[in-house]
Amino acid sequence: MFDQEKFSTRIRKLRRDANLSQKVLADVLDVSTNQISQMEKGLKTTTLARLCLLCDYFNVSADYLLGRTDEPN
């Protein structure tokens, strides 16, 4: 099952660990900085296409981002 809290926490942690600003990640996903902020606060999710971009960019599995596993790969 999808875990919104883990999703938002993991997006924020991955971004910070990569030393990226919300603006840079927003550019990667072609969304606004506000949308990244809302995703990190657990107020919004993203599309399937952008989920795939996140997985590829951070080299993690969708199951990890969705909170279905604690193993990144």
Side-chain angles (χ1 to χ4, degrees):
M1 181 172 282
F2 172 62
D3 187 325
Q4 177 72 35
E5 185 176 338
K6 283 186 180 179
F7 176 77
S8 61
T9 300
R10 288 176 178 177
I11 293 293
R12 183 174 46 254
K13 182 176 180 344
L14 287 166
R15 180 183 62 77
R16 288 180 176 171
D17 287 353
N19 203 28
L20 299 174
S21 67
Q22 287 184 339
K23 171 71 172 124
V24 170
L25 186 56
D27 290 345
V28 167
L29 298 179
D30 195 28
V31 298
S32 69
T33 304
N34 186 48
Q35 179 147 349
I36 298 299
S37 175
Q38 290 180 337
M39 286 168 52
E40 290 183 356
K41 290 177 183 175
L43 302 174
K44 286 202 173 204
T45 58
T46 192
T47 65
L48 182 57
R50 289 188 179 112
L51 176 65
C52 291
L53 282 172
L54 285 166
C55 292
D56 290 345
Y57 191 82
F58 290 116
N59 194 32
V60 296
S61 70
D63 281 344
Y64 175 74
L65 286 180
L66 297 174
R68 296 169 49 95
T69 184
D70 291 330
E71 296 299 320
N73 293 319

